[in-house]
Amino acid sequence: MDPMDAIKATYFQECDELLASLEEGLLALQTGDGDNDTINAVFRAVHSIKGGAGAFGFEDMVEFAHVFETSLDEMRSGRLDPDPHVLKVMLRASDVLADHVQAAKGEGVVDAVRAQAMSEELEALTAPPVAAVNAAPVAAELEKDEWGFAPLKVEFDMEPEAPAPWMLTMRPTSAMYAKGHDAALFLRELARLGEIKATLDVSLLPDLLTLDAEAAYCGWTVELAAEIAEQAILDVFDFVGDDCAIKLRRAGSELELPFVPEAPPAPVVAVSAPVETIEALPVAQEASSAAKAEAKADNKSTAPTSATIRVDLERVDRLIDLVGELVINQAMLAQRVMESEQPPSSTVTLGLDELEQLTRQIQDSVMAIRAQPVKSVFQRMPRLVREIAASTGKQVRLVMEGEGTEVDKTVIERLSDPITHMLRNAIDHGLETPAERIGAGKQGEGVVRLSALHRSGRIVIEVSDDGKGINRPRVREIAIKKGLISPEANLSDDEIDNLIFLPGFSTASSVSNISGRGVGMDVVKRSIQALGGRIAITSQPGKGSKFSLSLPLTLAVLDGMVISASDQTLVAPLTAIIETLRPKPEDVRALGPTGAVLLVRGEHVPLIDVGVALGIRTKPVDPANGVVLLVESEGISRAALVADEIQGQRQVVIKSLEANFQRVVGIAAATILGDGRVALILDIEAMLERRLNERVIPLARAS
């Protein structure tokens, strides 16, 4: 890879983080949670993006970021009030800046008309009011004293004294150049602020014989226009810190502090001068000690900055694959030790227990490396909401919660599309127009909530709105019209709500660029099912709807209970199991011609024979002669799975079947057991969902 490409890739990664920080800060200011530190952080984000863009020659991005930065500087200095209008403009400006970054990556283009309009809108925020500029001084009516005399205002026709231009002295050090900075870039940035006159200072430049090629000898004195703000000049050098000595003053004024140039390199001691060499040794040692002490201090001061590193994702994936193989081999070893009938107190058994604990710790640590907060997905949504709200003419406020909830990176990468679809539907179909909301006694602004949380070993993502809810009569009417259900079908409210997940279903009366083609929610459901998750919906007419996604935290390993059904070995995820029991015959009661329920602590739960459900056998076993797993799923309540026996609990490595086989309802994946056998991993939620849908034959046929 070209070294410059690697540097650009790092810059673009930083841009993504800075854009997220920018939007997060602006949203915090909008909700009243921000302060001066937030404004400074927002300013630094734009300033940093502009600085890197200038280094790589992205001129369009630099020009837009400069205008954006100017308005933020006004806000930072207190001259621009961060009111809702200003923040709304800046949020849209952050979208345009993100477009510039994407265009620089080569992944899109910038709408030039929109960018120009946005620049003019930003400049209008900081432009002085026309009325203030053109307002003529109004003579105040002066009051007379008790003698009838009034003070007379006399104006002298004198030109106000113009401020002197700025004089900037900059002297870079070798450390600044070593970190990749260039004095020419600073001069270019200063030139963007206004007219400059730069003078090169080479007074410290030695002759060629003593010249150190890595030392910095040159300095510059720059005269800048008087009207430039002092802070704007200092902001140009935000990146360099103490690596470039800066002095700024008005022309004609004295410097407050003497300028201290970088110390010239120590003179080289001649080998041919033994006496001087002996005398110079202590000095050299002292200099070396000082250098070491300085280096030690530098290392101490910079130690916290090395807390994180960037690692290629392929290396992490390779490590996870190896840990998966380690888990399988540990399970195989445990199986062989068990078959050899070693006593529990034997050194082999004790050593194997320690190996199992160590393997679990390694696996947990490696999975923690891949775990990322869902913030990386959530942070893309505010812009989406703004754009959809603008195109639909609705007022929308997005509330996000649980952005720090962590989940495996693979799951995160596949979450963006489902969440995008659900937010589109929530705004386009769920929320009413401002007039409709006010007419219904609601606030004109609708609220859409996006939240994430951990529940029962899974991650649950919810998208809810306070809109009009699902219009069930219309949904049923459309389903009948499209032939998805029969007119005689007797469906519950939940079953009608779930019709929106059928392919081709849409309640939109016309096709728009947002919705109407009926390819949204069925895609969402398939995407979630492909991740081993489930989606549930609840809706109340007039109060809104809520979509709940339940997903596994990782797609690599899981803790499972190994069970038997007929001659097959299966694995049930522990996160779904509440308890196991051997039911009494009197607790099992028939329901209909083939069904049965189990009485558990006064509650009847449906019995599902695992072997029959998977087609392994045709006749269910007597629950009293087998074992029952009481399971619970997201949004589908409880059920009792009947198996022949339980073999034990163990951690298993998930092996996907989709690469070689079609999707089988009730089977999520496969794994390799310690004895080398392949066991299927149950998709308990799919089994329960199918049992629920079997009650409605027409609906089952439609799906």
Side-chain angles (χ1 to χ4, degrees):
M1 175 184 286
D2 187 347
M4 186 56 70
D5 292 339
I7 297 173
K8 279 186 180 179
T10 302
Y11 166 68
F12 289 137
Q13 289 177 352
E14 293 174 352
C15 280
D16 292 339
E17 296 169 0
L18 291 168
L19 286 171
S21 174
L22 168 63
E23 187 166 36
E24 183 180 1
L26 292 174
L27 290 174
L29 292 171
Q30 195 176 45
T31 57
D33 297 331
D35 53 15
N36 290 334
D37 290 341
T38 307
I39 296 175
N40 288 331
V42 167
F43 176 85
R44 284 195 297 272
V46 177
H47 185 69
S48 300
I49 292 173
K50 188 188 81 168
F56 290 111
F58 302 134
E59 295 300 330
D60 292 342
M61 192 195 308
V62 171
E63 291 179 7
F64 181 80
H66 181 68
V67 177
F68 195 178
E69 182 188 53
T70 302
S71 60
L72 287 170
D73 186 45
E74 292 291 306
M75 184 188 294
R76 188 174 61 160
S77 60
R79 292 188 292 270
L80 180 62
D81 185 24
D83 58 29
H85 170 68
V86 170
L87 292 173
K88 191 174 181 180
V89 172
M90 290 187 171
L91 278 168
R92 288 193 287 115
S94 70
D95 296 341
V96 175
L97 185 59
D99 289 343
H100 276 286
V101 174
Q102 290 299 110
K105 291 179 182 177
E107 299 176 356
V109 295
V110 179
D111 185 342
V113 176
R114 182 188 179 199
Q116 180 61 31
M118 197 69 250
S119 295
E120 293 173 357
E121 205 166 346
L122 286 171
E123 289 172 343
L125 294 178
T126 57
V130 177
V133 174
N134 298 331
V138 180
E141 186 176 354
L142 303 176
E143 296 182 357
K144 296 180 179 179
D145 60 13
E146 57 182 334
W147 306 104
F149 293 99
L152 181 61
K153 184 178 180 180
V154 178
E155 294 184 356
F156 296 94
D157 189 14
M158 297 177 62
E159 292 290 338
E161 185 178 357
W166 291 105
M167 298 300 295
L168 172 73
T169 305
M170 54 178 278
R171 185 167 290 277
T173 65
S174 56
M176 190 197 81
Y177 293 111
K179 294 176 182 177
H181 297 293
D182 190 342
L185 294 178
F186 297 130
L187 294 174
R188 185 192 301 174
E189 283 298 307
L190 292 173
R192 294 182 188 280
L193 300 177
E195 185 180 355
I196 67 170
K197 183 185 295 181
T199 305
L200 177 63
D201 178 10
V202 293
S203 58
L204 298 179
L205 190 65
D207 56 41
L208 287 177
L209 293 178
T210 58
L211 180 69
D212 183 353
E214 296 184 356
Y217 300 102
C218 297
W220 285 264
T221 300
V222 184
E223 180 181 334
L224 300 102
E227 62 270 16
I228 300 174
E230 178 182 5
Q231 190 58 47
I233 300 173
L234 296 176
D235 287 341
V236 173
F237 301 91
D238 266 359
F239 296 101
V240 293
D242 296 332
D243 293 336
C244 181
I246 301 295
K247 294 298 177 187
L248 181 64
R249 60 184 174 85
R250 289 285 186 185
S253 63
E254 296 294 332
L255 289 176
E256 296 180 357
L257 294 173
F259 178 78
V260 181
E262 184 182 24
V268 179
V269 179
V271 179
S272 59
V275 177
E276 292 182 3
T277 303
I278 292 173
E279 291 177 351
L281 183 59
V283 178
Q285 288 178 340
E286 184 178 351
S288 176
S289 301
K292 289 179 180 178
E294 185 179 355
K296 187 176 180 180
D298 288 345
N299 291 335
K300 185 177 180 180
S301 62
T302 58
T305 60
S306 61
T308 60
I309 59 172
R310 296 180 187 273
V311 180
D312 191 344
L313 188 58
E314 291 183 359
R315 297 186 182 185
V316 179
D317 290 340
R318 176 62 178 160
L319 180 60
I320 289 177
D321 290 342
L322 292 175
V323 171
E325 295 301 319
L326 177 63
V327 172
I328 293 174
N329 279 273
Q330 182 269 328
M332 288 182 172
L333 186 59
Q335 180 74 22
R336 289 170 184 169
V337 170
M338 185 183 67
E339 292 172 354
S340 66
E341 298 182 351
Q342 291 281 337
S345 58
S346 68
T347 55
V348 174
T349 305
L350 295 176
L352 188 62
D353 290 342
E354 294 178 359
L355 175 62
E356 183 178 359
Q357 295 176 9
L358 183 60
T359 304
R360 173 62 67 98
Q361 292 176 5
I362 294 174
Q363 184 261 320
D364 290 342
S365 300
V366 172
M367 295 312 300
I369 295 175
R370 280 190 62 96
Q372 289 187 342
V374 294
K375 182 179 179 181
S376 59
V377 176
F378 279 23
Q379 67 188 12
R380 308 173 197 170
M381 301 306 155
R383 176 177 182 177
L384 174 75
V385 170
R386 287 195 295 273
E387 293 178 346
I388 298 176
S391 61
T392 58
K394 297 178 180 178
Q395 298 177 6
V396 186
R397 179 163 58 92
L398 177 65
V399 179
M400 296 191 294
E401 299 171 342
E403 298 162 84
T405 306
E406 291 188 337
V407 68
D408 188 271
K409 180 175 174 57
T410 305
V411 178
I412 284 184
E413 290 172 347
R414 303 183 193 177
L415 276 178
S416 179
D417 288 344
I419 294 177
T420 299
H421 278 299
M422 288 191 294
L423 284 177
R424 285 174 182 269
N425 278 276
I427 298 172
D428 194 27
H429 298 302
L431 295 182
E432 310 94 331
T433 63
E436 291 173 342
R437 292 181 63 84
I438 293 173
K442 300 179 180 179
Q443 295 287 335
E445 182 183 60
V447 178
V448 175
R449 294 184 179 277
L450 176 61
S451 61
L453 67 156
H454 284 156
R455 184 187 299 162
S456 301
R458 297 171 72 88
I459 181 173
V460 178
I461 294 177
E462 295 179 344
V463 177
S464 61
D465 63 77
D466 64 346
K468 52 193 172 187
I470 294 178
N471 186 344
R472 295 191 177 107
R474 177 166 172 75
V475 169
R476 181 183 173 85
E477 177 187 345
I478 293 175
I480 295 173
K481 186 177 179 181
K482 290 180 177 289
L484 300 175
I485 62 172
S486 68
E488 296 78 19
N490 183 20
L491 305 183
S492 65
D493 288 346
D494 290 341
E495 290 163 349
I496 294 175
D497 293 344
N498 280 280
L499 290 174
I500 66 173
F501 294 113
L502 296 179
F505 188 90
S506 175
T507 58
S509 55
S510 60
V511 177
S512 67
N513 58 349
I514 299 175
S515 60
R517 298 191 184 277
V519 293
M521 297 309 295
D522 66 315
V523 174
V524 170
K525 186 173 184 178
R526 290 179 187 179
S527 301
I528 298 304
Q529 286 178 337
L531 288 170
R534 290 290 173 270
I535 182 170
I537 179 174
T538 57
S539 181
Q540 288 185 292
K543 295 185 177 179
S545 305
K546 180 170 71 175
F547 292 84
S548 299
L549 309 181
S550 175
L551 295 157
L553 291 176
T554 176
L555 304 179
V557 296
L558 64 79
D559 289 311
M561 181 172 288
V562 183
I563 61 176
S564 298
S566 293
D567 57 348
Q568 296 293 321
T569 301
L570 306 167
V571 177
L574 275 183
T575 54
I577 300 175
I578 302 174
E579 63 176 303
T580 60
L581 53 97
R582 288 189 180 276
K584 299 176 183 177
E586 59 269 25
D587 292 335
V588 180
R589 300 175 184 178
L591 179 65
T594 58
V597 294
L598 177 67
L599 180 62
V600 181
R601 300 186 187 90
E603 179 186 1
H604 288 93
V605 295
L607 274 167
I608 301 175
D609 188 285
V610 175
V612 175
L614 297 180
I616 301 173
R617 59 190 173 208
T618 57
K619 186 177 180 181
V621 297
D622 184 357
N625 296 328
V627 64
V628 168
L629 281 65
L630 189 62
V631 297
E632 186 177 41
S633 70
E634 186 74 24
I636 312 181
S637 189
R638 297 182 177 183
L641 301 184
V642 182
D644 295 346
E645 63 176 350
I646 296 175
Q647 297 183 15
Q649 295 181 15
R650 65 195 59 171
Q651 188 180 52
V652 298
V653 179
I654 301 172
K655 300 292 184 181
S656 175
L657 294 172
E658 295 181 1
N660 300 307
F661 301 96
Q662 291 183 345
R663 180 173 178 79
V664 179
V665 177
I667 300 298
T671 188
I672 301 174
L673 299 177
D675 56 4
R677 291 179 298 160
V678 175
L680 300 175
I681 300 175
L682 296 179
D683 187 346
I684 290 178
E685 294 208 23
M687 296 176 68
L688 271 58
E689 185 180 11
R690 186 170 70 172
R691 174 61 183 268
L692 181 68
N693 290 337
E694 281 176 353
R695 295 190 296 114
V696 185
I697 297 176
L699 178 60
R701 288 175 179 171
S703 62

